Amino acid sequence: MRGVFTLTHSSKKRKSLEKNTGAGYLFLAPALVFYSLFFIYPVIFSFVVSTKRWNMLVPLSRARNVGFSEYSYLLKDQMFLGILGNTLLYALATVSSTIVIALILAALINNAKLSVLWRFIYFTPVVTPQVAIGTIWGYLYRPNNGLFNSILKIFGIKPVYWLTDANVALISIIITAVWAGIGGSMLIITAGLKNIPQDYYDAAKIDGAGPFRQFFYITVPLLSPTLLFLTATGFIGAWQVFDLPFTMGRNAPARSVMTVSWYVYETAFQSLRMGRASAGAFLLFCVIFGFTLIILWLFRRGGIKGYE
Amino acid sequence: MKKSLLLLVLVLCVFLSFSAFGKTKLIFAVHWSDYQVEGVKDENGNIVAKGLRQYVEEYQKLNPDVEIEIQSVPFDDYLKRILISHTSGVIADIYVLYSLWGVQLVDSGILDQVPKDIADKVKANFAKVAVDGATIDKAIWGIPVEVANYALVYNKKLLQEAGFNEPPKTWDELVAMAPKLTKRNPDGTVAQYGFAFLSGWDSAVVHPFLALLHSNGGKPFKDDFSESLLTSKEAVEALEAELKLFKNGATDPAASVWGFPSGKVAMMIMAPWYESALKLGFKDQYEQTVGVAPIPYLKKPATAGYTWFIAVDSASKNKKAAWDFIRWMTLENAGGFTRMGELMAKNIGSIPPSKSDLAFFKNELNDLYTSVFVKELDNTYQEPNVAQGQEIKTILMREIIEAWNGRKSAEKALSDAKKEIDKILAEFYK
């Protein structure tokens, strides 16, 4: 009897589900159409272009098919590999420095007086356009009367050619990017800090833990999902960086500061090699995808699942 | 009453739309700035120097069936505008094009063939360097509207302070003079450059090198473009000549030609269009301060140049109307001169390439700044019209900057450039 009831019940449920499937797809349709139109279609189009020799001046159908030769060209090209290296260095340095500094600052100002004011001050660069930041920092980095060389001069240190010395230019841009990115990360970390119950700190204090122990044993572990989010999104953004190196690095030897997005832009719109540019963009997509998976895996191995 | 008003409005709408549809519409894409399009006006709004719009309005009055829309796009976005318009199918009918882009546009079938009468007039009536600029595979693809070349621009006062009454004539003289014009701060940074290049802009890097290369008796490519000649003795010596200025402390990669109007650069290699910026920078001190001379030579006087030419899109639905307007604007005698020549000489401040305009606008072209550039037209070598010209120029720029920064020797930089450039040439010419 029970079996019959279960059978009837499950068949009814299935029928009801089948009946509602159409409605479900209907509700999903706007998002699916949007996603297909603005993400899936461009990705497929870009992949198709990457297998062609196309300059955008003739219809794509007339472009010569070159298979994967643009990919193999890029993977053998010393310049592109150097540019990948620049971008990797930029991503590693900016993301790690930004998160560490933002974490320390957020912990310091979390319970400080006028914390709202501090947050506002640190957040200001985030709402400033990157091109404006690049231009202003360009003035600070000027070799003759720039702020940084004036400070070095006080200490009797030789002036540095911040943006034209090939060995220094990328580091100078990284410093600017870190400064510009701290505010956003700090705000997210502060939100994470607010979610940590005060009881844990009180208990730790009773057990004799000092501020450093509290920071490393309570704050950092409980902020891990937030840090995972910042690391993943930070790397995705850093790999795609364009504005700051393009604005600040134009007077430096290009190989020393050029990033993949800059290379893709130049290859597409100056060299008119859409196929090679698309192949570069696709390789960048693969690198970002792989990097994000590695980050998620590393955090998961550490027992953090907050970003799933 | 209401009904008749409605009817009237309807009739008007129909009439207006028919009159608009009846017109031949041309889109004219230019890279010129606001005052060059709209005209130079005094404080009361009166036109002092006509801009493109005034000429277009004049033409529209003479040809009421033609409507011309001017689309002004900044130079940096101009090529992108052409590319995107062809992808989207919304093209301009008429373009003013940088000669370096010509080969690719012609190879892709973007440009309409120039009517024979126009091509003949271009060959007969325009400066040779400009004709070279508009010539691709021995055919004329447009009418040159602007020709630009390079000269040595120097600060007379700074030279006099250092005891020099004349600018250098040879490159060796320049190399000897420049360090004496360089002043340093106590911390070792440069307060005043004896000579300045500009790192961040391909033309500012490549064109002076090309000028020296020609001056040294060399050329950048074989005539059939099958190979670059950048490892030739002449090319290496030309780059080494530039590097002497870096080695003797007269300049460094941080130097910039944009520092000239503030009096921080004594000498630079510059084009004619920089005149107005210099006048703005030096104001009433302009004439006492700015001097222009031919580029100091290695073996023979030579300079590099480039051309802008006007052309019609092959996909235009109104090609005849477009060429008719171009004829009127660039070739028709408007009283001893062409209208385009007048626009160039009186408003834009560039050198008009038509021989009749060069003769007619002597007053405008004979000032202390432009006159040297005009005289140097005979010594000007047009930037080569080679396939992937922009890509090749960027590669050459990067390698020259590597050498400026001491990261490569002249020989190594040019050899690396040659390797990359020859790969491109092999794609298109073999």
Side-chain angles (χ1 to χ4, degrees):
Chain A
M1 186 67 190
R2 200 181 160 201
V4 172
F5 172 79
T6 316
L7 195 71
T8 320
H9 180 74
S10 73
S11 117
K12 267 186 185 171
K13 201 175 169 186
R14 197 180 300 128
K15 270 185 185 169
S16 151
L17 266 174
E18 277 168 9
K19 207 176 158 187
N20 290 330
T21 307
Y25 281 121
L26 205 67
F27 282 115
L28 276 175
L32 279 176
V33 168
F34 184 84
Y35 192 70
S36 308
L37 208 64
F38 294 105
F39 182 72
I40 296 174
Y41 171 71
V43 167
I44 294 170
F45 182 77
S46 167
F47 180 72
V48 171
V49 170
S50 73
T51 61
K52 306 266 184 189
R53 183 150 297 162
W54 187 44
N55 64 4
M56 268 177 100
L57 291 165
V58 293
L60 185 60
S61 54
R62 268 177 56 197
R64 189 150 57 94
N65 206 338
V66 292
F68 292 98
S69 65
E70 295 294 12
Y71 290 92
S72 61
Y73 173 89
L74 288 175
L75 292 172
K76 283 182 209 155
D77 183 26
Q78 287 304 312
M79 183 172 164
F80 183 74
L81 296 176
I83 287 165
L84 262 179
N86 289 344
T87 320
L88 173 67
L89 176 65
Y90 177 90
L92 287 172
T94 50
V95 174
S96 56
S97 309
T98 305
I99 292 177
V100 169
I101 297 170
L103 179 61
I104 294 167
L105 285 173
L108 285 174
I109 66 167
N110 189 32
N111 294 318
K113 280 181 187 171
L114 301 171
S115 68
V116 176
L117 177 71
W118 287 114
R119 256 178 272 158
F120 171 76
I121 291 169
Y122 283 112
F123 194 70
T124 311
V126 180
V127 292
T128 310
Q130 295 271 301
V131 176
I133 290 174
T135 309
I136 292 164
W137 275 72
Y139 285 113
L140 302 179
Y141 280 138
R142 277 164 81 146
N144 277 344
N145 46 9
L147 178 73
F148 295 115
N149 274 357
S150 304
I151 294 169
L152 292 181
K153 195 175 163 186
I154 296 168
F155 296 101
I157 300 169
K158 272 189 168 182
V160 177
Y161 287 85
W162 297 96
L163 294 177
T164 47
D165 184 337
N167 301 315
V168 183
L170 186 59
I171 298 166
S172 307
I173 295 168
I174 288 170
I175 292 170
T176 309
V178 171
W179 174 84
I182 286 172
S185 303
M186 203 188 71
L187 209 71
I188 294 167
I189 293 172
T190 310
L193 285 174
K194 298 278 179 207
N195 284 332
I196 301 175
Q198 185 59 34
D199 304 3
Y200 295 169
Y201 292 103
D202 295 341
K205 265 185 207 165
I206 292 165
D207 290 342
F212 282 102
R213 283 199 145 201
Q214 287 175 32
F215 181 75
F216 285 109
Y217 288 95
I218 298 173
T219 309
V220 173
L222 290 176
L223 272 180
S224 297
T226 308
L227 297 180
L228 169 61
F229 171 78
L230 286 174
T231 311
T233 53
F235 269 111
I236 291 169
W239 271 106
Q240 297 178 66
V241 67
F242 175 81
D243 332 38
L244 273 184
F246 189 73
T247 324
M248 300 176 74
R250 295 186 90 171
N251 286 352
R255 288 197 176 95
S256 62
V257 291
M258 196 177 242
T259 57
V260 178
S261 294
W262 180 355
Y263 175 85
V264 166
Y265 168 80
E266 196 177 281
T267 306
F269 294 110
Q270 283 191 7
S271 305
L272 307 189
R273 290 184 182 273
M274 296 301 153
R276 190 169 296 166
S278 295
F282 228 84
L283 287 175
L284 179 64
F285 170 77
C286 294
V287 169
I288 294 173
F289 191 69
F291 232 80
T292 312
L293 285 182
I294 291 169
I295 292 163
L296 292 176
W297 178 73
L298 282 174
F299 272 79
R300 206 171 169 188
R301 269 189 74 192
I304 298 147
K305 295 179 182 178
Y307 195 49
E308 287 178 1
Chain B
M1 180 66 191
K2 269 185 185 173
K3 270 186 182 174
S4 48
L5 198 69
L6 197 71
L7 198 70
L8 187 72
V9 170
L10 207 68
V11 168
L12 264 173
C13 285
V14 170
F15 176 76
L16 284 173
S17 55
F18 266 102
S19 62
F21 282 128
K23 282 189 174 182
T24 302
K25 188 171 178 184
L26 296 173
I27 297 175
F28 187 0
V30 293
H31 65 284
W32 297 332
S33 55
D34 190 45
Y35 74 92
Q36 293 167 335
V37 172
E38 301 301 334
V40 181
K41 293 171 185 167
D42 63 15
E43 56 269 25
N44 300 318
N46 302 315
I47 299 282
V48 179
K50 284 200 273 186
L52 179 63
R53 185 160 316 280
Q54 284 75 50
Y55 295 101
V56 162
E57 282 167 359
E58 191 183 332
Y59 186 78
Q60 288 178 158
K61 266 185 201 164
L62 294 168
N63 300 274
D65 56 331
V66 177
E67 185 190 343
I68 300 172
E69 180 191 328
I70 301 167
Q71 288 185 356
S72 181
V73 184
F75 173 67
D76 284 347
D77 299 324
Y78 196 68
L79 184 58
K80 272 174 264 168
R81 158 75 173 81
I82 299 171
L83 295 176
I84 291 161
S85 66
H86 269 267
T87 315
S88 63
V90 189
I91 55 148
D93 300 277
I94 304 168
Y95 300 108
V96 175
L97 297 168
Y98 177 25
S99 50
L100 194 70
W101 306 331
V103 177
Q104 244 166 332
L105 295 174
V106 169
D107 286 352
S108 302
I110 299 299
L111 302 188
D112 188 39
Q113 284 201 326
V114 177
K116 192 178 175 307
D117 66 302
I118 294 182
D120 290 344
K121 279 182 184 162
V122 169
K123 281 180 202 164
N125 302 336
F126 283 69
K128 186 190 171 296
V129 59
V131 178
D132 289 348
T135 304
I136 294 153
D137 290 337
K138 295 175 186 167
I140 303 276
W141 285 94
I143 301 161
V145 294
E146 178 188 349
V147 60
N149 54 0
Y150 290 83
L152 180 81
V153 178
Y154 60 96
N155 186 315
K156 285 190 254 187
K157 285 185 178 172
L158 297 182
L159 259 68
Q160 277 160 9
E161 276 170 27
F164 301 111
N165 293 320
E166 292 290 326
K169 284 191 174 61
T170 65
W171 193 260
D172 285 343
E173 282 175 33
L174 182 135
V175 171
M177 281 168 70
K180 293 169 188 161
L181 290 156
T182 304
K183 290 179 184 165
R184 289 184 181 273
N185 296 314
D187 62 5
T189 53
V190 181
Q192 177 187 303
Y193 284 99
F195 188 90
F197 290 104
L198 177 66
S199 293
W201 181 23
D202 52 8
S203 291
V205 177
V206 173
H207 290 167
F209 167 73
L210 289 180
L212 284 177
L213 173 59
H214 287 293
S215 170
N216 204 30
K219 54 184 180 180
F221 302 104
K222 280 187 174 173
D223 291 338
D224 60 359
F225 293 116
S226 59
E227 192 188 344
S228 69
L229 299 172
L230 293 171
T231 48
S232 66
K233 186 171 162 283
E234 291 82 4
V236 174
E237 281 175 2
L239 186 51
E240 276 171 350
E242 285 191 358
L243 296 186
K244 282 180 189 171
L245 292 166
F246 290 84
K247 285 174 186 158
N248 72 9
T251 194
D252 63 34
S256 165
V257 293
W258 309 132
F260 190 92
S262 54
K264 288 181 179 165
V265 171
M267 295 185 284
M268 63 175 180
I269 290 172
M270 199 21 102
W273 47 258
Y274 200 49
E275 184 181 16
S276 50
L278 292 172
K279 282 181 175 168
L280 274 173
F282 290 111
K283 297 191 174 78
D284 56 340
Q285 292 297 302
Y286 171 74
E287 292 207 355
Q288 293 101 299
T289 313
V290 176
V292 187
I295 295 178
Y297 60 88
L298 286 167
K299 285 181 187 157
K300 60 174 184 177
T303 184
Y306 57 91
T307 303
W308 285 81
F309 62 86
I310 192 165
V312 172
D313 196 305
S314 60
S316 165
K317 285 173 187 156
N318 300 303
K319 285 185 226 174
K320 188 187 171 302
W323 282 118
D324 285 346
F325 168 70
I326 291 174
R327 255 190 214 97
W328 177 84
M329 186 77 195
T330 61
L331 298 172
E332 198 177 290
N333 190 335
F337 59 91
T338 69
R339 293 169 182 88
M340 187 60 88
E342 187 183 42
L343 177 65
M344 286 296 147
K346 289 195 166 179
N347 179 324
I348 295 180
S350 293
I351 302 173
S354 148
K355 286 175 189 168
S356 63
D357 291 330
L358 285 168
F360 188 87
F361 293 108
K362 268 190 180 152
N363 283 344
E364 286 79 6
L365 301 174
N366 205 25
D367 61 18
L368 82 88
Y369 192 82
T370 317
S371 58
V372 178
F373 293 93
V374 175
K375 277 179 204 149
E376 281 299 288
L377 281 179
D378 291 338
N379 293 323
T380 301
Y381 290 82
Q382 164 70 27
E383 186 176 24
N385 285 339
V386 59
Q388 292 296 115
Q390 185 60 56
E391 186 180 18
I392 288 172
K393 193 174 176 182
T394 307
I395 291 168
L396 187 52
M397 172 190 74
R398 277 200 201 111
E399 294 300 338
I400 291 173
I401 292 176
E402 292 285 313
W404 284 0
N405 279 274
R407 284 155 61 101
K408 287 181 184 176
S409 66
E411 201 170 353
K412 169 78 176 143
L414 291 173
S415 156
D416 288 351
K418 179 182 164 58
K419 270 183 219 155
E420 282 190 62
I421 291 167
D422 282 357
K423 269 192 239 166
I424 296 169
L425 296 176
E427 258 182 77
F428 290 86
Y429 292 98
K430 278 180 184 170

